Amino acid sequence: MEAVARLNNVPTSPRKMRLVADLVRGKRVGLALSILKFTPNHGAIRLEKLLLSAVANWQAKNPDAKLEEADLYIKTVTVDEGRSLKRLRPAPQGRGHRIRKRSNHVTLIVDSFDDVDVTAEVVETNEKAN
């Protein structure tokens, strides 16, 4: 059973957030949390909190299942472009240069390997082979 967590209007450019999201896509939750904890990018802090929220949502959906035995992994992470704030910066000779302050929306889906025919060990060996 999968659980979804969404984070809207994050004041980071989508390009920078996708760099962090690519690090944890398809990984186990424990490994992903440790990767995000030691990643120096600013988006890693927000993605770590979002992952913890997705795990909490999964626990709320499955109150009888134990988290340690669930073998959770990150099924999908999508980073979409959000609203852009448009500002003007003064430039020489009375001109103005446009500044776009970008934002993004992140959607994270966590699932357990029990629902899938593939085990986590098979996925990890495939990741190491690639």
Side-chain angles (χ1 to χ4, degrees):
M1 182 114 203
E2 60 185 29
V4 179
R6 288 187 182 89
L7 186 61
N8 291 329
N9 298 321
V10 182
T12 307
S13 70
R15 185 176 181 180
K16 291 177 184 177
M17 189 63 87
R18 282 188 193 110
L19 289 172
V20 180
D22 290 340
L23 292 174
V24 297
R25 185 175 286 123
K27 303 261 194 281
R28 285 181 168 179
V29 169
L31 178 63
L33 283 172
S34 62
I35 288 171
L36 291 173
K37 186 172 184 75
F38 295 108
T39 301
N41 298 11
H42 183 69
I45 298 166
R46 294 180 185 264
L47 209 59
E48 181 182 5
K49 290 176 79 171
L50 183 67
L51 180 56
L52 290 173
S53 173
V55 170
N57 292 344
W58 185 88
Q59 280 182 322
K61 276 188 170 181
N62 305 305
D64 55 338
K66 292 185 180 178
L67 184 63
E68 294 81 22
E69 297 171 0
D71 206 14
L72 294 177
Y73 74 104
I74 299 174
K75 189 173 182 179
T76 59
V77 179
T78 57
V79 179
D80 300 322
E81 189 170 340
R83 186 182 327 182
S84 279
L85 299 175
K86 294 170 178 86
R87 301 289 182 257
L88 287 176
R89 168 159 303 213
Q93 299 181 355
R95 295 190 190 105
H97 290 275
R98 178 171 274 185
I99 294 177
R100 291 183 301 272
K101 296 188 174 187
R102 300 177 186 268
S103 65
N104 63 58
H105 306 307
V106 184
T107 304
L108 191 136
I109 300 176
V110 174
D111 200 2
S112 63
F113 275 111
D114 299 337
D115 300 337
V116 185
D117 296 334
V118 182
T119 62
E121 287 78 22
V122 173
V123 172
E124 283 186 0
T125 54
N126 291 340
E127 287 177 1
K128 290 179 184 176
N130 292 334

